[in-house]
Amino acid sequence: MSASSLHASATTLLESWRPATGTDASLREAMLAFLGSAPRGCLREHAPGHITASAVVFSHDERAVLLTLHPRVGRWIQLGGHCEEGDETVAAAALREATEESGMPDLRMDPELYGAQAHPITCSLGRPTRHLDLLFRIVAPAGAVPIRSHESTDLRWWPVDALPDNADVLLR
């Protein structure tokens, strides 16, 4: 559990990911190049940018997705956040973040990389940086009721075919 295990897990995920589009393939290569030059690039302390762990949480029947209205971003986005030194892998960080932000236990995560995104943001560092999101697909158990945390302005299920206009979430 260290910056090096997070770095290794991010690298392995990206190396094994086979994106469907040329744009995603370019993002994959850019993220691998970033990791090649940033041994601590999975931690928020890396001010030029850092890998973040995101979770696209689907309902048990996969007809809805759980989104948070992020107070800093001002849009409906997937759950997730910064990796921490106590996280062994980026996947573990994504599951931790999804559980903390949703308040729902017993989430099931696909360990394969679901996708990747890059976002300019002013995060908790207080200065502009870039989040390099590694996304994981998570399914909630039947009857799961989300509980909004202090990290969210709002939290709710949205039908996958009726997302809010300002949503920024990757659905496949």
Side-chain angles (χ1 to χ4, degrees), residues 15 80 99 142 150:
E15 286 175 346
T99 302
H150 69 280

Side-chain angles (χ1 to χ4, degrees), residues 67-71 76 101 148-155:
L67 299 180
T68 179
L69 182 56
H70 195 281
W76 290 96
E101 292 182 13
R148 184 179 64 83
S149 75
H150 69 280
E151 297 181 47
S152 178
T153 301
D154 197 355
L155 180 72

Side-chain angles (χ1 to χ4, degrees), residues 31-97:
M31 287 181 164
L32 284 168
F34 165 79
L35 287 167
S37 67
R40 296 185 64 83
C42 290
L43 298 174
R44 85 176 83 202
E45 71 188 34
H46 193 267
H50 37 272
I51 297 291
T52 50
S54 292
V56 181
V57 180
F58 290 92
S59 60
H60 75 285
D61 60 5
E62 301 184 32
R63 293 170 42 185
V65 64
L66 186 63
L67 299 180
T68 179
L69 182 56
H70 195 281
R72 198 169 294 212
V73 177
R75 290 191 315 250
W76 290 96
I77 61 174
Q78 73 269 353
L79 307 182
H82 293 105
C83 298
E84 297 176 2
E85 291 230 32
D87 296 319
E88 188 170 330
T89 64
V90 178
L95 184 58
R96 175 186 51 76
E97 286 285 341

